Amino acid sequence: MLKSVWLGLVFAVSVHAADIVGSDLLKPALTEGLRAVAPAKSVDFAGSLPGRRSLAEGRASVALLFQRDGEADPAAPAGQSLQRYLLANAAVVVAVHKSNRQNQVSFADLNSLLAKDPKVYYVNWNDLAGGNLSETILTYLYAPHGAFARELIQGVPLANQPFRQEVNLVMDWAPVGQSLATRPATLAFAPGLPPGSEGRLLQVSDGRPGKSTTAYSPDEMNIYNGDYPLRLPLYLYVRTDQQAAQKEALKWLFSEAAAERIRSLGLYPAPKAIRERLAQRLDSR
């Protein structure tokens, strides 16, 4: 069940051929725009697994797919190859009350803070390295519909363990924002802080075997480069023999108009300069 949620899947009874396919989470934001700029192309955001199958079987030319760290790229049709572009990322930020002097947390910290049965059990702010508050940590996870916040944390720092009972899992920002603004012991996780929200963002480090122990802030380039570890990439896969035929759709996906729609989903588009450069390359081919 968790794996299917991670991939943003909605299984259809039957999968029809379409030029552009991908995660069902993108359907409300991108379908109308793609159909407007490329009316001759068919669009079907039926889910990531159906999209991967359509691409591999040669029924689709373009696929937008979320992909976990270490997961294999989709297969290309026999005799063909795929071009991969990093279009956006889902991410989770970690926030504290502005008076809290904590600066960073690691994946090991998150496991100790959130998992039901961690190796080391954290309860108090002073359990954390650099902790400066003798209070029980009050934890909120804001996971609105369509976001990957819960799945990202549970699937990576928690290594698929369930959350402990003390974690407040909510779909409404109001109690999270109020707690961040008024209670110094608050620790909040969210796809991003809504405009005007109180709270200060922490740096996050991975630290698992073979991974960096350096903590990074969730700024645009750190998320895009993959340095900020609480992120899930959204890749745009294109059959190389179909790039010219899909040019208008691809240019729109790299546009600021598409980026705004991607942001409306709580995702982080690739930086504008990078998207503009990719669009220019399409014109030079």
Side-chain angles (χ1 to χ4, degrees):
M1 178 66 180
L2 178 61
K3 183 177 180 181
S4 65
V5 175
W6 256 100
L7 295 172
L9 304 181
V10 169
F11 288 98
V13 175
S14 61
V15 180
H16 301 286
D19 298 296
I20 304 169
V21 298
S23 169
D24 63 291
L25 294 179
L26 306 173
K27 182 177 181 178
L30 300 184
T31 301
E32 182 180 339
L34 285 168
R35 286 176 175 165
V37 299
K41 307 300 180 184
S42 55
V43 181
D44 185 14
F45 290 112
S48 292
L49 281 184
R52 291 174 76 96
R53 287 199 300 268
S54 292
L55 202 59
E57 294 167 5
R59 292 182 285 112
S61 302
V62 177
L64 288 82
L65 306 172
F66 288 100
Q67 189 161 300
R68 288 195 289 180
D69 186 30
E71 184 179 6
D73 288 324
Q80 302 295 336
S81 60
L82 300 175
Q83 178 70 48
R84 188 180 81 171
Y85 303 97
L86 178 53
L87 186 64
N89 284 277
V92 176
V93 301
V94 186
V96 296
H97 187 273
K98 58 186 177 183
S99 69
N100 193 316
R101 297 195 301 275
Q102 188 75 29
N103 291 317
Q104 65 183 58
V105 288
S106 67
F107 276 13
D109 292 331
L110 298 186
N111 190 288
S112 295
L113 287 167
L114 305 174
K116 183 177 180 181
D117 188 26
K119 292 181 179 179
V120 181
Y121 201 94
Y122 288 175
V123 175
N124 195 283
W125 276 103
N126 284 336
D127 293 331
L128 288 162
N132 56 82
L133 194 63
S134 295
E135 287 193 46
T136 300
I137 299 171
L138 179 60
T139 310
Y140 282 92
L141 172 55
Y142 173 55
H145 178 71
F148 282 99
R150 178 171 181 164
E151 292 76 27
L152 233 172
I153 292 176
Q154 191 168 13
V156 186
L158 270 60
N160 294 323
Q161 284 195 65
F163 288 95
R164 68 177 61 167
Q165 186 176 359
E166 293 83 357
V167 178
N168 295 291
L169 302 173
V170 298
M171 297 182 68
D172 179 9
W173 174 253
V176 189
Q178 182 179 14
S179 190
L180 268 180
T182 61
R183 305 183 71 173
T186 301
L187 179 67
F189 300 85
L193 292 185
S197 299
E198 298 266 2
R200 183 173 58 81
L201 296 180
L202 300 187
Q203 297 180 328
V204 180
S205 64
D206 190 321
R208 292 173 296 173
K211 300 291 186 179
S212 173
T213 57
T214 302
Y216 290 91
S217 300
D219 62 42
E220 183 180 61
M221 287 306 301
N222 285 342
I223 291 174
Y224 177 78
N225 290 332
D227 294 323
Y228 182 75
L230 275 176
R231 45 85 84 165
L232 178 68
L234 172 65
Y235 288 114
L236 170 62
Y237 291 94
V238 186
R239 277 176 48 182
T240 52
D241 65 314
Q242 292 293 316
Q243 283 212 133
Q246 299 291 341
K247 178 179 174 180
E248 295 308 315
L250 298 177
K251 288 181 69 174
W252 184 80
L253 287 170
F254 293 140
S255 72
E256 191 60 25
E260 283 300 319
R261 298 189 185 195
I262 288 170
R263 289 188 190 98
S264 74
L265 298 173
L267 304 177
Y268 295 78
K272 184 177 181 180
I274 292 173
R275 289 185 282 105
E276 289 178 342
R277 188 162 60 247
L278 293 174
Q280 291 169 0
R281 289 178 184 174
L282 293 173
D283 286 328
S284 64
R285 291 179 178 178

PDB file of all heavy atoms in Angstrom, residues 128-164:
ATOM      1  N   LEU A 128      18.175  16.175  21.661  1.00  0.00           N
ATOM      2  CA  LEU A 128      18.831  16.480  20.388  1.00  0.00           C
ATOM      3  C   LEU A 128      20.177  17.145  20.616  1.00  0.00           C
ATOM      4  O   LEU A 128      20.346  17.937  21.556  1.00  0.00           O
ATOM      5  CB  LEU A 128      17.963  17.424  19.561  1.00  0.00           C
ATOM      6  CG  LEU A 128      16.698  16.841  18.942  1.00  0.00           C
ATOM      7  CD1 LEU A 128      15.752  17.963  18.538  1.00  0.00           C
ATOM      8  CD2 LEU A 128      17.061  15.999  17.727  1.00  0.00           C
ATOM      9  N   ALA A 129      21.147  16.843  19.742  1.00  0.00           N
ATOM     10  CA  ALA A 129      22.408  17.573  19.781  1.00  0.00           C
ATOM     11  C   ALA A 129      22.114  19.046  19.521  1.00  0.00           C
ATOM     12  O   ALA A 129      21.467  19.394  18.546  1.00  0.00           O
ATOM     13  CB  ALA A 129      23.355  17.026  18.723  1.00  0.00           C
ATOM     14  N   GLY A 130      22.573  19.896  20.411  1.00  0.00           N
ATOM     15  CA  GLY A 130      22.288  21.323  20.286  1.00  0.00           C
ATOM     16  C   GLY A 130      20.967  21.720  20.892  1.00  0.00           C
ATOM     17  O   GLY A 130      20.557  22.881  20.797  1.00  0.00           O
ATOM     18  N   GLY A 131      20.258  20.770  21.497  1.00  0.00           N
ATOM     19  CA  GLY A 131      18.983  21.075  22.124  1.00  0.00           C
ATOM     20  C   GLY A 131      19.141  22.089  23.234  1.00  0.00           C
ATOM     21  O   GLY A 131      20.104  22.043  23.999  1.00  0.00           O
ATOM     22  N   ASN A 132      18.205  23.005  23.328  1.00  0.00           N
ATOM     23  CA  ASN A 132      18.362  24.114  24.283  1.00  0.00           C
ATOM     24  C   ASN A 132      17.085  24.394  25.047  1.00  0.00           C
ATOM     25  O   ASN A 132      16.947  25.453  25.640  1.00  0.00           O
ATOM     26  CB  ASN A 132      18.796  25.374  23.529  1.00  0.00           C
ATOM     27  CG  ASN A 132      17.820  25.728  22.401  1.00  0.00           C
ATOM     28  OD1 ASN A 132      16.793  26.340  22.653  1.00  0.00           O
ATOM     29  ND2 ASN A 132      18.140  25.329  21.180  1.00  0.00           N
ATOM     30  N   LEU A 133      16.163  23.426  25.027  1.00  0.00           N
ATOM     31  CA  LEU A 133      14.862  23.666  25.629  1.00  0.00           C
ATOM     32  C   LEU A 133      14.466  22.445  26.458  1.00  0.00           C
ATOM     33  O   LEU A 133      14.392  21.335  25.935  1.00  0.00           O
ATOM     34  CB  LEU A 133      13.835  23.897  24.512  1.00  0.00           C
ATOM     35  CG  LEU A 133      12.481  24.483  24.882  1.00  0.00           C
ATOM     36  CD1 LEU A 133      12.635  25.895  25.453  1.00  0.00           C
ATOM     37  CD2 LEU A 133      11.577  24.514  23.644  1.00  0.00           C
ATOM     38  N   SER A 134      14.205  22.653  27.729  1.00  0.00           N
ATOM     39  CA  SER A 134      13.811  21.544  28.607  1.00  0.00           C
ATOM     40  C   SER A 134      12.302  21.355  28.575  1.00  0.00           C
ATOM     41  O   SER A 134      11.596  21.567  29.568  1.00  0.00           O
ATOM     42  CB  SER A 134      14.289  21.809  30.041  1.00  0.00           C
ATOM     43  OG  SER A 134      15.686  21.815  30.104  1.00  0.00           O
ATOM     44  N   GLU A 135      11.812  20.983  27.397  1.00  0.00           N
ATOM     45  CA  GLU A 135      10.385  20.744  27.208  1.00  0.00           C
ATOM     46  C   GLU A 135      10.180  19.542  26.304  1.00  0.00           C
ATOM     47  O   GLU A 135      11.024  19.235  25.441  1.00  0.00           O
ATOM     48  CB  GLU A 135       9.693  21.958  26.583  1.00  0.00           C
ATOM     49  CG  GLU A 135       9.525  23.151  27.515  1.00  0.00           C
ATOM     50  CD  GLU A 135       8.570  24.180  26.927  1.00  0.00           C
ATOM     51  OE1 GLU A 135       7.498  23.771  26.431  1.00  0.00           O
ATOM     52  OE2 GLU A 135       8.913  25.376  26.965  1.00  0.00           O
ATOM     53  N   THR A 136       9.053  18.877  26.473  1.00  0.00           N
ATOM     54  CA  THR A 136       8.687  17.783  25.587  1.00  0.00           C
ATOM     55  C   THR A 136       8.407  18.328  24.192  1.00  0.00           C
ATOM     56  O   THR A 136       7.731  19.356  24.034  1.00  0.00           O
ATOM     57  CB  THR A 136       7.435  17.058  26.118  1.00  0.00           C
ATOM     58  OG1 THR A 136       7.734  16.535  27.411  1.00  0.00           O
ATOM     59  CG2 THR A 136       7.019  15.934  25.187  1.00  0.00           C
ATOM     60  N   ILE A 137       8.927  17.665  23.186  1.00  0.00           N
ATOM     61  CA  ILE A 137       8.739  18.108  21.804  1.00  0.00           C
ATOM     62  C   ILE A 137       7.289  17.876  21.387  1.00  0.00           C
ATOM     63  O   ILE A 137       6.743  16.789  21.559  1.00  0.00           O
ATOM     64  CB  ILE A 137       9.693  17.356  20.860  1.00  0.00           C
ATOM     65  CG1 ILE A 137      11.152  17.648  21.245  1.00  0.00           C
ATOM     66  CG2 ILE A 137       9.443  17.741  19.401  1.00  0.00           C
ATOM     67  CD1 ILE A 137      12.161  16.799  20.517  1.00  0.00           C
ATOM     68  N   LEU A 138       6.675  18.920  20.836  1.00  0.00           N
ATOM     69  CA  LEU A 138       5.308  18.854  20.335  1.00  0.00           C
ATOM     70  C   LEU A 138       5.375  18.779  18.813  1.00  0.00           C
ATOM     71  O   LEU A 138       5.724  19.764  18.155  1.00  0.00           O
ATOM     72  CB  LEU A 138       4.518  20.081  20.786  1.00  0.00           C
ATOM     73  CG  LEU A 138       3.070  20.194  20.320  1.00  0.00           C
ATOM     74  CD1 LEU A 138       2.235  19.011  20.813  1.00  0.00           C
ATOM     75  CD2 LEU A 138       2.476  21.515  20.788  1.00  0.00           C
ATOM     76  N   THR A 139       5.056  17.617  18.260  1.00  0.00           N
ATOM     77  CA  THR A 139       5.309  17.354  16.847  1.00  0.00           C
ATOM     78  C   THR A 139       4.038  17.376  16.018  1.00  0.00           C
ATOM     79  O   THR A 139       3.040  16.741  16.362  1.00  0.00           O
ATOM     80  CB  THR A 139       5.988  15.973  16.680  1.00  0.00           C
ATOM     81  OG1 THR A 139       7.100  15.883  17.558  1.00  0.00           O
ATOM     82  CG2 THR A 139       6.458  15.788  15.251  1.00  0.00           C
ATOM     83  N   TYR A 140       4.106  18.095  14.896  1.00  0.00           N
ATOM     84  CA  TYR A 140       3.019  18.143  13.921  1.00  0.00           C
ATOM     85  C   TYR A 140       3.559  17.733  12.553  1.00  0.00           C
ATOM     86  O   TYR A 140       4.648  18.154  12.146  1.00  0.00           O
ATOM     87  CB  TYR A 140       2.461  19.556  13.791  1.00  0.00           C
ATOM     88  CG  TYR A 140       1.538  19.980  14.900  1.00  0.00           C
ATOM     89  CD1 TYR A 140       2.044  20.648  16.015  1.00  0.00           C
ATOM     90  CD2 TYR A 140       0.169  19.739  14.834  1.00  0.00           C
ATOM     91  CE1 TYR A 140       1.195  21.062  17.034  1.00  0.00           C
ATOM     92  CE2 TYR A 140      -0.682  20.147  15.853  1.00  0.00           C
ATOM     93  CZ  TYR A 140      -0.162  20.806  16.947  1.00  0.00           C
ATOM     94  OH  TYR A 140      -1.003  21.208  17.949  1.00  0.00           O
ATOM     95  N   LEU A 141       2.782  16.940  11.858  1.00  0.00           N
ATOM     96  CA  LEU A 141       3.071  16.631  10.460  1.00  0.00           C
ATOM     97  C   LEU A 141       1.868  17.066   9.639  1.00  0.00           C
ATOM     98  O   LEU A 141       0.781  16.493   9.742  1.00  0.00           O
ATOM     99  CB  LEU A 141       3.325  15.134  10.262  1.00  0.00           C
ATOM    100  CG  LEU A 141       3.460  14.642   8.810  1.00  0.00           C
ATOM    101  CD1 LEU A 141       4.536  15.416   8.057  1.00  0.00           C
ATOM    102  CD2 LEU A 141       3.757  13.153   8.774  1.00  0.00           C
ATOM    103  N   TYR A 142       2.070  18.110   8.843  1.00  0.00           N
ATOM    104  CA  TYR A 142       1.019  18.634   7.984  1.00  0.00           C
ATOM    105  C   TYR A 142       1.096  17.909   6.645  1.00  0.00           C
ATOM    106  O   TYR A 142       2.051  18.054   5.896  1.00  0.00           O
ATOM    107  CB  TYR A 142       1.207  20.137   7.803  1.00  0.00           C
ATOM    108  CG  TYR A 142       0.287  20.783   6.795  1.00  0.00           C
ATOM    109  CD1 TYR A 142      -1.098  20.655   6.882  1.00  0.00           C
ATOM    110  CD2 TYR A 142       0.816  21.564   5.762  1.00  0.00           C
ATOM    111  CE1 TYR A 142      -1.932  21.263   5.965  1.00  0.00           C
ATOM    112  CE2 TYR A 142      -0.017  22.182   4.844  1.00  0.00           C
ATOM    113  CZ  TYR A 142      -1.387  22.024   4.945  1.00  0.00           C
ATOM    114  OH  TYR A 142      -2.213  22.635   4.018  1.00  0.00           O
ATOM    115  N   ALA A 143       0.074  17.099   6.367  1.00  0.00           N
ATOM    116  CA  ALA A 143       0.065  16.269   5.165  1.00  0.00           C
ATOM    117  C   ALA A 143      -1.246  16.470   4.422  1.00  0.00           C
ATOM    118  O   ALA A 143      -2.161  15.650   4.520  1.00  0.00           O
ATOM    119  CB  ALA A 143       0.257  14.795   5.522  1.00  0.00           C
ATOM    120  N   PRO A 144      -1.367  17.573   3.664  1.00  0.00           N
ATOM    121  CA  PRO A 144      -2.610  17.816   2.925  1.00  0.00           C
ATOM    122  C   PRO A 144      -2.801  16.794   1.817  1.00  0.00           C
ATOM    123  O   PRO A 144      -1.864  16.110   1.397  1.00  0.00           O
ATOM    124  CB  PRO A 144      -2.407  19.224   2.349  1.00  0.00           C
ATOM    125  CG  PRO A 144      -0.924  19.387   2.268  1.00  0.00           C
ATOM    126  CD  PRO A 144      -0.363  18.621   3.431  1.00  0.00           C
ATOM    127  N   HIS A 145      -4.028  16.688   1.338  1.00  0.00           N
ATOM    128  CA  HIS A 145      -4.346  15.736   0.271  1.00  0.00           C
ATOM    129  C   HIS A 145      -3.462  15.987  -0.948  1.00  0.00           C
ATOM    130  O   HIS A 145      -3.293  17.117  -1.384  1.00  0.00           O
ATOM    131  CB  HIS A 145      -5.809  15.853  -0.122  1.00  0.00           C
ATOM    132  CG  HIS A 145      -6.194  14.947  -1.247  1.00  0.00           C
ATOM    133  ND1 HIS A 145      -6.294  13.576  -1.094  1.00  0.00           N
ATOM    134  CD2 HIS A 145      -6.473  15.205  -2.561  1.00  0.00           C
ATOM    135  CE1 HIS A 145      -6.636  13.035  -2.252  1.00  0.00           C
ATOM    136  NE2 HIS A 145      -6.757  13.992  -3.155  1.00  0.00           N
ATOM    137  N   GLY A 146      -2.887  14.907  -1.496  1.00  0.00           N
ATOM    138  CA  GLY A 146      -2.068  15.015  -2.694  1.00  0.00           C
ATOM    139  C   GLY A 146      -0.606  15.311  -2.438  1.00  0.00           C
ATOM    140  O   GLY A 146       0.203  15.309  -3.361  1.00  0.00           O
ATOM    141  N   ALA A 147      -0.237  15.577  -1.177  1.00  0.00           N
ATOM    142  CA  ALA A 147       1.167  15.853  -0.858  1.00  0.00           C
ATOM    143  C   ALA A 147       1.876  14.553  -0.486  1.00  0.00           C
ATOM    144  O   ALA A 147       1.248  13.553  -0.156  1.00  0.00           O
ATOM    145  CB  ALA A 147       1.260  16.849   0.298  1.00  0.00           C
ATOM    146  N   PHE A 148       3.206  14.586  -0.523  1.00  0.00           N
ATOM    147  CA  PHE A 148       4.009  13.408  -0.204  1.00  0.00           C
ATOM    148  C   PHE A 148       4.639  13.507   1.182  1.00  0.00           C
ATOM    149  O   PHE A 148       5.529  12.720   1.500  1.00  0.00           O
ATOM    150  CB  PHE A 148       5.137  13.254  -1.233  1.00  0.00           C
ATOM    151  CG  PHE A 148       4.693  12.666  -2.539  1.00  0.00           C
ATOM    152  CD1 PHE A 148       4.426  13.489  -3.615  1.00  0.00           C
ATOM    153  CD2 PHE A 148       4.548  11.302  -2.695  1.00  0.00           C
ATOM    154  CE1 PHE A 148       4.035  12.958  -4.826  1.00  0.00           C
ATOM    155  CE2 PHE A 148       4.147  10.756  -3.903  1.00  0.00           C
ATOM    156  CZ  PHE A 148       3.884  11.586  -4.974  1.00  0.00           C
ATOM    157  N   ALA A 149       4.178  14.449   2.015  1.00  0.00           N
ATOM    158  CA  ALA A 149       4.858  14.700   3.284  1.00  0.00           C
ATOM    159  C   ALA A 149       4.927  13.452   4.158  1.00  0.00           C
ATOM    160  O   ALA A 149       6.004  13.065   4.640  1.00  0.00           O
ATOM    161  CB  ALA A 149       4.162  15.837   4.030  1.00  0.00           C
ATOM    162  N   ARG A 150       3.801  12.820   4.373  1.00  0.00           N
ATOM    163  CA  ARG A 150       3.777  11.646   5.247  1.00  0.00           C
ATOM    164  C   ARG A 150       4.587  10.502   4.644  1.00  0.00           C
ATOM    165  O   ARG A 150       5.390   9.859   5.333  1.00  0.00           O
ATOM    166  CB  ARG A 150       2.327  11.209   5.475  1.00  0.00           C
ATOM    167  CG  ARG A 150       2.194   9.970   6.331  1.00  0.00           C
ATOM    168  CD  ARG A 150       0.754   9.702   6.701  1.00  0.00           C
ATOM    169  NE  ARG A 150       0.642   8.528   7.553  1.00  0.00           N
ATOM    170  CZ  ARG A 150      -0.431   8.218   8.266  1.00  0.00           C
ATOM    171  NH1 ARG A 150      -1.488   9.023   8.247  1.00  0.00           N
ATOM    172  NH2 ARG A 150      -0.458   7.134   9.013  1.00  0.00           N
ATOM    173  N   GLU A 151       4.393  10.245   3.358  1.00  0.00           N
ATOM    174  CA  GLU A 151       5.074   9.118   2.710  1.00  0.00           C
ATOM    175  C   GLU A 151       6.586   9.338   2.625  1.00  0.00           C
ATOM    176  O   GLU A 151       7.368   8.395   2.774  1.00  0.00           O
ATOM    177  CB  GLU A 151       4.487   8.909   1.312  1.00  0.00           C
ATOM    178  CG  GLU A 151       3.053   8.412   1.314  1.00  0.00           C
ATOM    179  CD  GLU A 151       2.054   9.510   1.661  1.00  0.00           C
ATOM    180  OE1 GLU A 151       2.356  10.694   1.403  1.00  0.00           O
ATOM    181  OE2 GLU A 151       0.986   9.176   2.198  1.00  0.00           O
ATOM    182  N   LEU A 152       7.004  10.590   2.398  1.00  0.00           N
ATOM    183  CA  LEU A 152       8.430  10.886   2.289  1.00  0.00           C
ATOM    184  C   LEU A 152       9.140  10.611   3.607  1.00  0.00           C
ATOM    185  O   LEU A 152      10.193   9.964   3.636  1.00  0.00           O
ATOM    186  CB  LEU A 152       8.606  12.347   1.884  1.00  0.00           C
ATOM    187  CG  LEU A 152       9.482  12.651   0.672  1.00  0.00           C
ATOM    188  CD1 LEU A 152       9.388  14.122   0.294  1.00  0.00           C
ATOM    189  CD2 LEU A 152      10.919  12.264   0.922  1.00  0.00           C
ATOM    190  N   ILE A 153       8.573  11.090   4.697  1.00  0.00           N
ATOM    191  CA  ILE A 153       9.210  10.889   6.003  1.00  0.00           C
ATOM    192  C   ILE A 153       9.135   9.429   6.424  1.00  0.00           C
ATOM    193  O   ILE A 153      10.130   8.843   6.877  1.00  0.00           O
ATOM    194  CB  ILE A 153       8.563  11.801   7.054  1.00  0.00           C
ATOM    195  CG1 ILE A 153       8.898  13.264   6.736  1.00  0.00           C
ATOM    196  CG2 ILE A 153       9.053  11.435   8.453  1.00  0.00           C
ATOM    197  CD1 ILE A 153       8.241  14.247   7.654  1.00  0.00           C
ATOM    198  N   GLN A 154       7.988   8.819   6.260  1.00  0.00           N
ATOM    199  CA  GLN A 154       7.850   7.423   6.685  1.00  0.00           C
ATOM    200  C   GLN A 154       8.712   6.501   5.830  1.00  0.00           C
ATOM    201  O   GLN A 154       9.283   5.530   6.329  1.00  0.00           O
ATOM    202  CB  GLN A 154       6.384   6.996   6.606  1.00  0.00           C
ATOM    203  CG  GLN A 154       6.115   5.659   7.285  1.00  0.00           C
ATOM    204  CD  GLN A 154       4.636   5.397   7.446  1.00  0.00           C
ATOM    205  OE1 GLN A 154       3.799   6.073   6.863  1.00  0.00           O
ATOM    206  NE2 GLN A 154       4.297   4.402   8.245  1.00  0.00           N
ATOM    207  N   GLY A 155       8.843   6.805   4.552  1.00  0.00           N
ATOM    208  CA  GLY A 155       9.577   5.921   3.660  1.00  0.00           C
ATOM    209  C   GLY A 155      11.077   6.051   3.750  1.00  0.00           C
ATOM    210  O   GLY A 155      11.796   5.114   3.401  1.00  0.00           O
ATOM    211  N   VAL A 156      11.602   7.198   4.226  1.00  0.00           N
ATOM    212  CA  VAL A 156      13.058   7.388   4.235  1.00  0.00           C
ATOM    213  C   VAL A 156      13.606   7.455   5.668  1.00  0.00           C
ATOM    214  O   VAL A 156      14.160   6.464   6.145  1.00  0.00           O
ATOM    215  CB  VAL A 156      13.467   8.613   3.391  1.00  0.00           C
ATOM    216  CG1 VAL A 156      14.992   8.701   3.293  1.00  0.00           C
ATOM    217  CG2 VAL A 156      12.881   8.521   1.986  1.00  0.00           C
ATOM    218  N   PRO A 157      13.463   8.569   6.409  1.00  0.00           N
ATOM    219  CA  PRO A 157      14.053   8.569   7.758  1.00  0.00           C
ATOM    220  C   PRO A 157      13.501   7.482   8.676  1.00  0.00           C
ATOM    221  O   PRO A 157      14.233   6.943   9.506  1.00  0.00           O
ATOM    222  CB  PRO A 157      13.702   9.963   8.291  1.00  0.00           C
ATOM    223  CG  PRO A 157      13.416  10.780   7.098  1.00  0.00           C
ATOM    224  CD  PRO A 157      12.823   9.864   6.092  1.00  0.00           C
ATOM    225  N   LEU A 158      12.210   7.142   8.536  1.00  0.00           N
ATOM    226  CA  LEU A 158      11.615   6.138   9.413  1.00  0.00           C
ATOM    227  C   LEU A 158      11.789   4.720   8.890  1.00  0.00           C
ATOM    228  O   LEU A 158      11.438   3.751   9.577  1.00  0.00           O
ATOM    229  CB  LEU A 158      10.120   6.423   9.625  1.00  0.00           C
ATOM    230  CG  LEU A 158       9.774   7.332  10.811  1.00  0.00           C
ATOM    231  CD1 LEU A 158      10.416   8.701  10.658  1.00  0.00           C
ATOM    232  CD2 LEU A 158       8.275   7.472  10.956  1.00  0.00           C
ATOM    233  N   ALA A 159      12.357   4.576   7.680  1.00  0.00           N
ATOM    234  CA  ALA A 159      12.573   3.250   7.084  1.00  0.00           C
ATOM    235  C   ALA A 159      11.300   2.409   7.111  1.00  0.00           C
ATOM    236  O   ALA A 159      11.318   1.221   7.433  1.00  0.00           O
ATOM    237  CB  ALA A 159      13.721   2.525   7.805  1.00  0.00           C
ATOM    238  N   ASN A 160      10.175   3.067   6.791  1.00  0.00           N
ATOM    239  CA  ASN A 160       8.851   2.433   6.682  1.00  0.00           C
ATOM    240  C   ASN A 160       8.250   2.000   8.017  1.00  0.00           C
ATOM    241  O   ASN A 160       7.274   1.250   8.034  1.00  0.00           O
ATOM    242  CB  ASN A 160       8.879   1.244   5.710  1.00  0.00           C
ATOM    243  CG  ASN A 160       9.152   1.685   4.288  1.00  0.00           C
ATOM    244  OD1 ASN A 160       8.682   2.748   3.866  1.00  0.00           O
ATOM    245  ND2 ASN A 160       9.908   0.887   3.562  1.00  0.00           N
ATOM    246  N   GLN A 161       8.801   2.459   9.119  1.00  0.00           N
ATOM    247  CA  GLN A 161       8.159   2.229  10.410  1.00  0.00           C
ATOM    248  C   GLN A 161       6.905   3.094  10.542  1.00  0.00           C
ATOM    249  O   GLN A 161       6.828   4.177   9.945  1.00  0.00           O
ATOM    250  CB  GLN A 161       9.097   2.592  11.559  1.00  0.00           C
ATOM    251  CG  GLN A 161      10.193   1.601  11.846  1.00  0.00           C
ATOM    252  CD  GLN A 161      10.803   1.889  13.206  1.00  0.00           C
ATOM    253  OE1 GLN A 161      10.150   1.765  14.239  1.00  0.00           O
ATOM    254  NE2 GLN A 161      12.073   2.288  13.201  1.00  0.00           N
ATOM    255  N   PRO A 162       5.935   2.682  11.352  1.00  0.00           N
ATOM    256  CA  PRO A 162       4.791   3.558  11.623  1.00  0.00           C
ATOM    257  C   PRO A 162       5.202   4.726  12.504  1.00  0.00           C
ATOM    258  O   PRO A 162       6.218   4.674  13.209  1.00  0.00           O
ATOM    259  CB  PRO A 162       3.811   2.636  12.353  1.00  0.00           C
ATOM    260  CG  PRO A 162       4.650   1.561  12.937  1.00  0.00           C
ATOM    261  CD  PRO A 162       5.804   1.351  11.975  1.00  0.00           C
ATOM    262  N   PHE A 163       4.401   5.788  12.450  1.00  0.00           N
ATOM    263  CA  PHE A 163       4.628   6.926  13.328  1.00  0.00           C
ATOM    264  C   PHE A 163       4.205   6.577  14.759  1.00  0.00           C
ATOM    265  O   PHE A 163       3.270   5.806  14.979  1.00  0.00           O
ATOM    266  CB  PHE A 163       3.814   8.135  12.860  1.00  0.00           C
ATOM    267  CG  PHE A 163       4.336   8.762  11.601  1.00  0.00           C
ATOM    268  CD1 PHE A 163       3.817   8.407  10.366  1.00  0.00           C
ATOM    269  CD2 PHE A 163       5.343   9.706  11.648  1.00  0.00           C
ATOM    270  CE1 PHE A 163       4.285   8.987   9.199  1.00  0.00           C
ATOM    271  CE2 PHE A 163       5.830  10.296  10.488  1.00  0.00           C
ATOM    272  CZ  PHE A 163       5.302   9.930   9.260  1.00  0.00           C
ATOM    273  N   ARG A 164       4.881   7.181  15.725  1.00  0.00           N
ATOM    274  CA  ARG A 164       4.455   6.994  17.104  1.00  0.00           C
ATOM    275  C   ARG A 164       3.163   7.775  17.363  1.00  0.00           C
ATOM    276  O   ARG A 164       2.826   8.713  16.639  1.00  0.00           O
ATOM    277  CB  ARG A 164       5.546   7.432  18.072  1.00  0.00           C
ATOM    278  CG  ARG A 164       5.813   8.922  18.078  1.00  0.00           C
ATOM    279  CD  ARG A 164       6.855   9.313  19.120  1.00  0.00           C
ATOM    280  NE  ARG A 164       8.126   8.680  18.855  1.00  0.00           N
ATOM    281  CZ  ARG A 164       9.272   9.034  19.453  1.00  0.00           C
ATOM    282  NH1 ARG A 164       9.283  10.007  20.326  1.00  0.00           N
ATOM    283  NH2 ARG A 164      10.388   8.420  19.163  1.00  0.00           N
TER     284      ARG A 164
END
